Amino acid sequence: MKDSLKPGLNLEHSHAVTDAMAPAHIPIKVLSTPSMVQLIEATCYSCVQPHLDEHESTVGTHVCVSHVGPARSGETVTIKAVLNEINKRRLTFEVEVAAPSGVISTGSHERAVVDLERMRARS
């Protein structure tokens, strides 16, 4: 990990909601919770990856988020991630997802820094 990896790092990404992100069992095309979690994970990953060494990456280890409102297909959602805590190799983020209707999710996400060379050696 580089010295630049510090609490307070943050990133905001916007994504268009597509029909492919909707749950199959709902007649209206809205952002599914699994698709929303995927966007949260990708934003947190992108937030810290430049601050890791070349042979390091992160993997998700815990997600605790609400999903209290819809984002319809064609709308844009904005994901905000703030790195709140670093505990050895564990990174904890505060996250928020907003749609045109307002905030549709808040919570936290934890990622672990992994050594890709060690992972390759084990496989």
Side-chain angles (χ1 to χ4, degrees):
M1 295 182 282
K2 298 177 182 174
D3 290 339
S4 61
L5 182 67
K6 296 183 186 299
L9 288 174
N10 62 82
L11 186 63
E12 187 174 305
H13 272 172
S14 294
H15 296 273
V17 177
T18 66
D19 287 356
M21 300 166 112
H25 64 282
I26 303 291
I28 301 168
K29 299 295 183 186
V30 294
L31 180 67
S32 71
T33 301
S35 293
M36 184 184 73
V37 169
Q38 183 179 23
L39 294 174
I40 289 168
E41 286 208 54
T43 302
C44 292
Y45 164 85
S46 295
C47 179
V48 296
Q49 192 61 39
H51 304 278
L52 300 178
D53 292 329
E54 186 176 306
H55 61 91
E56 294 175 319
S57 190
T58 61
V59 294
T61 58
H62 188 80
V63 178
C64 182
V65 295
S66 62
H67 193 170
V68 298
R72 296 181 185 279
S73 184
E75 293 182 335
T76 297
V77 292
T78 301
I79 297 89
K80 296 177 184 176
V82 178
L83 178 59
N84 278 346
E85 182 181 352
I86 302 170
N87 183 1
K88 297 181 183 175
R89 300 184 77 75
R90 299 271 181 202
L91 311 176
T92 304
F93 298 83
E94 180 180 328
V95 297
E96 177 184 285
V97 180
S101 62
V103 174
I104 62 169
S105 178
T106 59
S108 63
H109 176 46
E110 185 177 279
R111 299 187 70 75
V113 177
V114 294
D115 185 319
L116 298 174
E117 292 172 357
R118 285 182 62 193
M119 288 179 80
R120 283 186 197 102
R122 290 181 180 175
S123 60

